[in-house]
Amino acid sequence: MRTDVLGVAFDNVTMDEAVDRALAMLEEDRPHLVVTPNPEIVQRAGKDPEFAGILSKADLVLPDGVGVVYAAKILGRPLRARVPGIDFASALLERVAGTGKRLFLLGAAPGVAEQAAVNLRAAHPGLVVCGARDGYFKEDGPVVDAVREAGADLVFVCLGAPKQEKWIAAHGEAAGARLYVGLG
């Protein structure tokens, strides 16, 4: 069941439940989208119907920000927990490491995604990072090809909202991964 906060419907889940749902999505043969709206993103969605539509269709909408949790409580529809995107990503990688699932990192400045891959491998032994690409690209096609050719199961897209969610909505199916998480 989802909880509406100013037009964005959040999944009322704990961290463990969110990770369990994401792991189940990784087993399904279709692309899934996880979004992590904070109050700024909720506000932006109110002004951008395309973005709001993408958030409403996301498979998992996590409350990333104490402001979202407080707003839900004030509205009389309390959320059970705050589920920050970065903490969710770390918990998910902890469970994915050693399973053979393949992670692709997309976003940030040149060299940052590559260094993040090194850091994540060190933090999560057994994690397979199959590719990393910065977010400074002009054409989507080569990026879609890179994700598909890397055989990614999971893609962390860090392009900033709403760009990352719009990129996933437009290219997620063609890129071939099963789970996309907007973490920008």
Side-chain angles (χ1 to χ4, degrees):
M1 187 163 129
R2 288 194 164 169
T3 299
D4 183 276
V5 177
L6 303 174
V8 175
F10 289 87
D11 286 282
N12 194 1
V13 294
T14 65
M15 179 67 73
D16 287 339
E17 290 168 344
V19 171
D20 287 345
R21 284 193 191 180
L23 290 169
M25 290 175 200
L26 276 168
E27 299 306 318
E28 295 180 12
D29 194 23
R30 69 177 185 89
H32 294 276
L33 171 60
V34 177
V35 294
T36 59
N38 60 23
E40 178 184 355
I41 291 172
V42 170
Q43 190 173 34
R44 180 169 286 195
K47 299 174 184 175
D48 182 342
E50 177 190 5
F51 183 40
I54 293 168
L55 294 180
S56 73
K57 292 176 186 168
D59 298 282
L60 189 57
V61 182
L62 303 177
D64 183 349
V66 71
V68 171
V69 174
Y70 283 150
K73 185 176 181 180
I74 290 167
L75 292 168
R77 300 181 291 271
L79 292 164
R80 293 173 32 216
R82 176 175 170 246
V83 184
I86 193 68
D87 296 341
F88 166 77
S90 182
L92 179 59
L93 293 182
E94 192 67 35
R95 302 257 312 267
V96 167
T99 66
K101 298 292 184 198
R102 300 165 62 82
L103 170 67
F104 193 100
L105 302 173
L106 174 60
V112 174
E114 292 81 359
Q115 185 58 53
V118 171
N119 296 345
L120 289 172
R121 284 185 193 110
H124 303 282
L127 179 65
V128 178
V129 181
C130 62
R133 176 124 185 194
D134 69 63
Y136 290 81
F137 53 91
K138 295 192 186 324
E139 294 183 26
D140 296 315
V143 178
V144 170
D145 293 344
V147 173
R148 188 178 55 252
E149 290 167 8
D153 298 295
L154 167 64
V155 183
F156 287 170
V157 184
C158 306
L159 302 173
K163 183 177 179 181
Q164 62 201 16
E165 290 82 7
K166 289 180 179 184
W167 189 92
I168 295 165
H171 304 291
E173 189 167 345
R178 293 179 178 185
L179 184 63
Y180 297 87
V181 183
L183 291 172

